Amino acid sequence: MGGGNPDPAERELIALMRDYLAGRIEAFDGLYAALAARLRAYLISLCRDASVADDLLQETFLQMHRSRRTYQPGRPVAPWVFAIARHVFLMHRRGTARRVRFLERVAAAVGADEVMRDDRRALADVDAVRRALRAVPADQRRALVLHHVEGWSFAEIAGRLGIRLNAAKTRAFRGMRRMREQLK
Amino acid sequence: MRAPNELRDLIARDLAPARPLAPPALRALALVPVAAAIVVLIPALNELRPDLPSVGVVRALGFAVLQAIAGVAIVAAALRESVPGRQWRVGHVVALVAGGLLTAVLLPGLAAQAFDVAPRPAGAVAVGVACFRTSALAALPALAASAMLSARAFPLRPAVAGALYGLGAGLIADAGLRLWCEFSAPAHVLLAHVGAVVVSMLLGTIVSVVYASFMKG
């Protein structure tokens, strides 16, 4: 079935993966026990932050679950899982960059340079952002914060809120527009 | 190390038997009927190349089939690229793209009487446009089928997967032109035939990247 002659540990992973594909939760436990420590170390080496790595570890197992059909029975499990983990890290990095851009835009909107110089005014500006956020309808605010502040993808937001992908995008977009209008 | 309860519960709620995807080479065989239809339909809807008697049916058809097989093989490579942990190394991707484009460059000459059979200067542009348009349009069904096959997996580098299946689809479409177009002059081959293959490759890249970003939200 390809993948050469795997070592005993890899053979065990292959057997666990086969059971996991068959729908056995015990196989997931086995995979987690066998892979989590190695994956965590790998993710720490990529993001250099243990708490972020812990979050990414959970996301890796979720992504692995979603795309488990792409695992080809008999092939080594580790390269498949580590490729997914790397992808999860890259998506996280992209989300972080997006969050930073959002905060920079908000800071620019409230005059960040002055905020740095004047603490009292800074507090007032933070308050302005809070007020602007409060003025955004709750459903739009939720999508806005989840996407731009917490870095969730629209697909994840749609899944969490039980709405369609386009609805998640529209809510976040309208929320952002409303917030900008409030800050003017 | 035990899975956190929240994660385990989430997985347990959603866990159901899942049928794994077949190996990429096997999945690429789904394109064989599409490729066969393209190779047959292009000359059927237009005309057979006029120099067929002197070139020989076996030679012209042989090179058309050879190019279509190369296209399906490159789509298989794209489907392998779409499986996590099975991505090609950069050198392999470069070799696949170079090999695919070289096939499109060389086969028109090998399937012709000489390497410099050119259309009449007065009609060269019209002939070029006709070949380009036919090749580019014929690539669309193969491109759509390849994109669907790739999207069913999980391409971690959608641009690479898309470029490869676009190249494969372009080669499959251009294979049909081996039985229609008799010209092998470098200018015609590069602009009309290889140009259409490159356009298909770019289209594949765009489709794959747009689809991936749509899925990620």
Side-chain angles (χ1 to χ4, degrees):
Chain A
M1 264 301 216
N5 191 18
D7 61 33
E10 190 59 57
R11 272 204 298 273
E12 192 188 329
L13 284 176
I14 291 170
L16 284 168
M17 202 58 213
R18 193 182 52 228
D19 290 348
Y20 183 41
L21 283 167
R24 298 197 186 101
I25 188 68
E26 304 77 29
F28 172 76
D29 294 334
L31 283 169
Y32 194 94
L35 290 166
R38 282 161 66 195
L39 278 172
R40 187 172 181 273
Y42 175 64
L43 288 165
I44 288 174
S45 77
L46 290 176
C47 67
R48 313 209 171 274
D49 184 326
S51 66
V52 172
D54 287 337
D55 290 343
L56 295 181
L57 182 65
Q58 309 312 312
E59 183 55 35
T60 298
F61 276 97
L62 278 176
Q63 188 64 64
M64 176 181 144
H65 175 69
R66 284 186 212 118
S67 49
R68 62 194 186 280
R69 289 176 68 243
T70 64
Y71 169 73
Q72 290 172 343
R75 293 202 69 83
V77 177
W80 178 74
V81 173
F82 277 81
I84 292 174
R86 182 175 159 72
H87 175 73
V88 166
F89 163 71
L90 291 174
M91 290 302 103
H92 161 78
R93 198 169 64 178
R94 194 175 295 174
T96 306
R98 195 166 50 200
R99 208 157 43 235
V100 168
R101 281 198 301 273
F102 169 75
L103 293 174
E104 281 170 357
R105 280 205 303 273
V106 170
V110 297
D113 290 345
E114 291 173 32
V115 171
M116 300 289 274
R117 286 188 224 114
D118 187 344
D119 282 351
R120 281 165 65 189
R121 214 175 137 193
L123 284 171
D125 287 336
V126 168
D127 198 41
V129 171
R130 283 202 184 119
R131 270 202 312 275
L133 253 181
R134 272 201 296 272
V136 175
D139 57 339
Q140 293 174 10
R141 184 170 61 232
R142 206 154 176 218
L144 170 77
V145 171
L146 283 175
H147 182 66
H148 290 288
V149 181
E150 295 187 16
W152 289 47
S153 71
F154 287 119
E156 288 168 337
I157 295 170
R160 175 166 167 175
L161 301 183
I163 56 176
R164 296 170 70 91
L165 185 66
N166 281 343
K169 287 181 181 178
T170 309
R171 284 184 190 184
F173 171 75
R174 288 186 180 154
M176 174 64 96
R177 194 173 57 190
R178 185 75 177 260
M179 197 172 152
R180 281 206 184 110
E181 285 166 5
Q182 292 293 322
L183 286 170
K184 273 180 189 166
Chain B
M1 211 168 171
R2 264 183 62 85
N5 288 338
E6 200 180 325
L7 173 70
R8 192 181 187 277
D9 292 345
L10 204 64
I11 300 284
R13 270 203 303 276
D14 188 56
L15 192 57
R19 206 175 111 200
L21 294 175
L26 212 58
R27 297 174 65 225
L29 291 181
L31 274 178
V32 170
V34 181
I38 288 170
V39 170
V40 170
L41 282 177
I42 288 180
L45 294 176
N46 297 286
E47 59 181 2
L48 283 171
R49 52 194 290 176
D51 65 345
L52 198 61
S54 51
V55 170
V57 176
V58 173
R59 184 171 160 201
L61 186 65
F63 279 120
V65 170
L66 198 67
Q67 185 169 333
I69 290 172
V72 173
I74 290 179
V75 172
L79 297 183
R80 179 186 147 153
E81 168 70 31
S82 306
V83 174
R86 300 208 63 198
Q87 296 100 314
W88 295 100
R89 291 181 182 185
V90 176
H92 292 149
V93 175
V94 171
L96 282 166
V97 172
L101 292 177
L102 206 61
T103 304
V105 169
L106 289 181
L107 285 198
L110 292 170
Q113 288 172 303
F115 273 91
D116 57 356
V117 182
R120 282 181 297 108
V125 172
V127 169
V129 168
C131 282
F132 180 89
R133 191 176 52 213
T134 307
S135 185
L137 286 177
L140 293 180
L143 188 69
S146 311
M148 280 192 279
L149 288 170
S150 170
R152 291 193 71 202
F154 182 30
L156 302 183
R157 296 186 300 183
V160 177
L164 286 177
Y165 68 63
L167 172 63
L171 282 177
I172 290 170
D174 200 55
L177 275 83
R178 292 289 72 74
L179 297 172
W180 177 41
C181 172
E182 73 270 31
F183 302 116
S184 59
H188 176 79
V189 169
L190 287 175
L191 292 173
H193 294 263
V194 180
V197 173
V198 170
V199 165
S200 170
M201 196 171 147
L202 291 175
L203 198 59
T205 309
I206 292 167
V207 167
S208 185
V209 168
V210 168
Y211 180 75
S213 36
F214 177 76
M215 290 309 287
K216 280 173 203 151

